[in-house]
Amino acid sequence: MPILKVEAVTKRFGGLEALRDVTFSLYDGQIKALIGPNGAGKTTLFNLMSGMDRPTAGHIYFGGKDIGRLAPHQASRLGVGRTFQHSKVFDDLSVLDNVKVGRHAKSTAGLLSAFFTLPRHRRDERSISEHAYHALRRVGLEAKAEEPAGGLPMGERHVLEIARALATEPRVLLLDEPAAGLNNEETDQLAESVRRIRDQGITVLLVEHDMGFVMDISDEVVVLDYGRKIAEGPPLMIQNDEEVIRAYLGEDLN
Amino acid sequence: MTFEQLLQYVASGLTNGSIYALTALGFTLIYNATDIINFAQGEFVMLGGLSAVSLHEAGAPLPVAFAGAVLTVTVVGILFELLAIRPLLRSGVLTQIIVTVGASLAFRTGALMIWGRDARPLPSFSGETPVRLLGATFNRQTIWVFGLTLVIVVALQLFYRRTLTGKAVRACSINPMAARLMGVSYSRVVLLSFAVSAAISAAGGVMITPASFMSYASGSLIGLKGFAAAILGGLGNPLGAVIGGLLLGIIEALSVGLLPGGSSGYKDGVAFLILVLVLFARPQGLMGGRIVDKA
Amino acid sequence: MVAFLRRHVAFLAFAVVMMGLPFFTSNTYYLSVLAFTATRLMTSLGLNLLMGQAGQISLGHAAFVGMGAYGSAILTTRFGMNPWLAMVVAAVVAAVVAGIIGIPTTKLKGHYLAMATLGFGEIVLILLIQVKSITKGTDGITGIPSLAIGNLVFTQYNPRAMHLLLWGVALLMLRMSLNLADSRVGRALKGLHRAEVAATSLGVDATFHKVQAFMISAVFASIAGSFTAHYVQYISPGSFTLTFSVLLVTGVVIGGLGSIWGAVWGTLVMMILPEYLKQYEDATNLVFGILVIVIMIFLPGGLVSLGSALGKLRTRVGGRDRRAADTSDPGSLEGNARRPGGAA
């Protein structure tokens, strides 16, 4: 049974159709990529999966439950983690505090515990710290824990977003252009991180323009064009799909 | 309530409503150019009224006092933009609120020092004898206020639709980046918006003074109601501002007539109730304003 | 112990100074200014949580101070309720009202949020003036009883005890605010403020936490109002106008929204500066208004950013190219959506 299933999803913004009748599935332990030219509807789909927006028609099932109409925090609590194409790091918080926010739903200390630093608050804070450090170690950012997040270079900002999402203990991780702004070496490190994350039992769906990265890392690729799914399959098959090549108008898929 | 009474209320509502409309229009011009809500807008109204009072007391005939007051406040508006607003164009909403509120405090206190605490009158533009129409009596000033407001609204509309400068301003409000690329000077557009905004608010102040006097403290409530009117019509929509203003004036006047006990004490609350209800239920207003901040 | 001291040195030093002041002066005028400063600080701390941490704006907080003051006054003078109990009841009412209006209000942003809260404040003020049968209208309510613990009665004629009580509570609220800022809830609020979508994608319930912050700030304000009512023993609607709401916000912003301490410095400046400006009589507000504008333009991060602002200035003057440590502008709650020249 697929962990995430997009079923006949259509999304319209006024008269503009961003997604039309898109269907595909994501299986446990997969790394799957979502590619397509700009404006193909990739981020829109991410937004629907993470509760930021609602499909006009169709359903999104996560572990058998329709999550298409949930609020973002509900989707997150069910186990959908995500990062953003345009960095949404909390700039003036430290790297560590950024990740600590990711532990929000996994801890419970409320207002009174916080006001009076009751034992529950202290217990929570210890566990939050441990998990946050753990998440930073998973992406190799622990050395910068105390630095202000706003000072990180572009690539590391995205890595921080990954750590933050990992802290929520997601079952599915949605990565929106994680390799943007990375050099070759950093891209390789990122690929390594993503594989490690998958090996730890987290299913990954990523949007990416770096075709080398996509073809290298993905088990399967879904291609969107003008809001429609035009192909789905293993990287080798996608690279030789005529419709895909036509959609990319000669862009080098290798 | 008889039909005549109803007419009477509507007429009195249109008088205040016209001033709300001009103030709302003033808000809208500045908001469209800068995304700033100018909390000192009502003070332009007050300064207009009191300047006209002083000029008239110094012997200037009414039309000259009117023009002089509008000119004075326009200069104040321009100075305000240059000194306080220009450094703020890139600041956050909160900083902008605080500074324009600080300015309104400064304007009000300045007015207190110049004109004292008393509310000051101005003679009606054309005598005090009321006019009878449809069985109801109308204050002549009502007709002046409403008529001049219409003239100002139409003139503004022509300016923004027909002249090159007007079109440049509109271009800036739709897409400042593109407008700049086309060679429109953004800072000049902002300056112009403040000048025009101050001028029409001041005109409103001069017109309302014969009907309801003016004191250093009158501006803030007019300003807030002008804002409620702008929200009611749809923030950023000039036509909405005018309609919202007139509508608010009429609702206010009718509420005095319809509320049990005829208490006018609650009258001022009507504008705020409308403001809050519109913001909660339909933030884009009646006419559909620009999109509510989703930043 | 050393670590504890280091972490709390600023708070402890401030607490010792404030609690010690009445033992160095018996000037009742100074002590009364300080008493009002304490109640203002209570309100400012709540507003700082709401605005600085959660990124909301309220131009109607005078209403919550008014609810506390009127709640205490009405419950004690009309129903003979114990003042302490009345204070709690008033705070609960304020919290409930904040919760109810908070749900639609906190969905709004920027100017819309400011205006909705302003409208709320004005409506409450008009009710205070108009519902004469309960509030006695513009006459106000007199004869509000003093607070007392056993035989110890807190009045203006017992300024030291009053000072210790008010500053004790204000300092407790300061400690609570500092604790909250460094907690799970505090971080959630900061996350919502900096990047709401990101915070919600991490499991933070935006509406819940914003409304909660609104309610806390209302409770702080209400308690401040109750203390003021029992201290002055007379209240009238004139104290709860829009001007007061604006002064509250101004104090918090001038102090700086980036840190809880901003509420402290802002309150001190807002309460003590006008005392110095009194010599200008009618011009007090003019000078004050201009000062506010100048501070906001040249120090958008508020007084707490004075240190880093001076540092930046020094680097600029010195011509050294050092990256500024503090690039954040806590004064900018919502980035202005359509900045000329900014990236779209």
Side-chain angles (χ1 to χ4, degrees), chain A residues 77 92 104 107 109 115 125, chain C residues 179 184 187 194 197 203 209:
Chain A
R77 286 168 189 202
D92 58 336
H104 184 81
S107 42
F115 272 152
E125 286 296 302
Chain C
N179 289 344
R184 167 180 173 270
R187 283 188 299 268
R194 273 65 178 188
V197 231
H209 282 287

Side-chain angles (χ1 to χ4, degrees), chain C residues 69-80 134-135 141 144 235:
Chain C
Y70 269 89
S72 280
I74 293 167
L75 290 172
T76 52
T77 58
R78 285 204 160 213
F79 303 100
I134 302 173
T135 65
I141 299 177
I144 303 165
I235 51 165

Side-chain angles (χ1 to χ4, degrees), chain B residues 32 35 96 101 106 109 227, chain C residues 111 115 246 282 285-286 336 338:
Chain B
N32 280 350
D35 276 5
Q96 295 169 345
V101 168
T109 320
F227 183 81
Chain C
H111 287 114
M115 295 312 294
V246 169
D282 276 357
N285 282 335
L286 183 67
N336 214 331
R338 198 168 50 83

Side-chain angles (χ1 to χ4, degrees), chain C residues 23-37:
Chain C
F23 301 101
F24 293 97
T25 176
S26 50
N27 181 321
T28 49
Y29 178 72
Y30 288 158
L31 287 176
S32 81
V33 171
L34 283 172
F36 286 117
T37 308

Side-chain angles (χ1 to χ4, degrees), chain C residues 149-199:
Chain C
I149 301 174
N151 289 330
L152 179 61
V153 183
F154 299 98
T155 71
Q156 284 153 293
Y157 311 106
N158 189 0
R160 265 183 202 154
M162 194 79 217
H163 179 100
L164 293 179
L165 170 69
L166 293 178
W167 276 99
V169 173
L171 288 166
L172 174 68
M173 287 182 173
L174 172 59
R175 186 65 257 170
M176 287 161 64
S177 302
L178 290 167
N179 289 344
L180 186 73
D182 195 19
S183 77
R184 167 180 173 270
V185 177
R187 283 188 299 268
L189 291 177
K190 286 181 204 165
L192 285 173
H193 178 180
R194 273 65 178 188
E196 183 167 332
V197 231

Side-chain angles (χ1 to χ4, degrees), chain B residues 113-182:
Chain B
M113 294 165 71
I114 297 173
W115 288 286
R117 289 179 189 278
D118 295 337
R120 310 283 282 274
L122 203 63
S124 290
F125 289 2
S126 58
E128 307 285 347
T129 38
V131 184
R132 285 195 68 79
L133 204 70
L134 295 170
T137 48
F138 293 97
N139 201 317
R140 275 172 194 264
Q141 192 65 21
T142 298
I143 296 163
W144 272 110
V145 172
F146 189 58
L148 283 177
T149 301
L150 282 186
V151 170
I152 290 172
V153 169
V154 170
L156 267 184
Q157 191 73 358
L158 288 177
F159 171 72
Y160 281 110
R161 302 255 160 208
R162 295 286 163 80
T163 67
L164 201 58
T165 321
K167 284 179 184 168
V169 174
R170 292 207 306 140
C172 260
S173 107
I174 294 162
N175 187 340
M177 276 297 277
R180 279 156 66 105
L181 291 175
M182 304 293 286

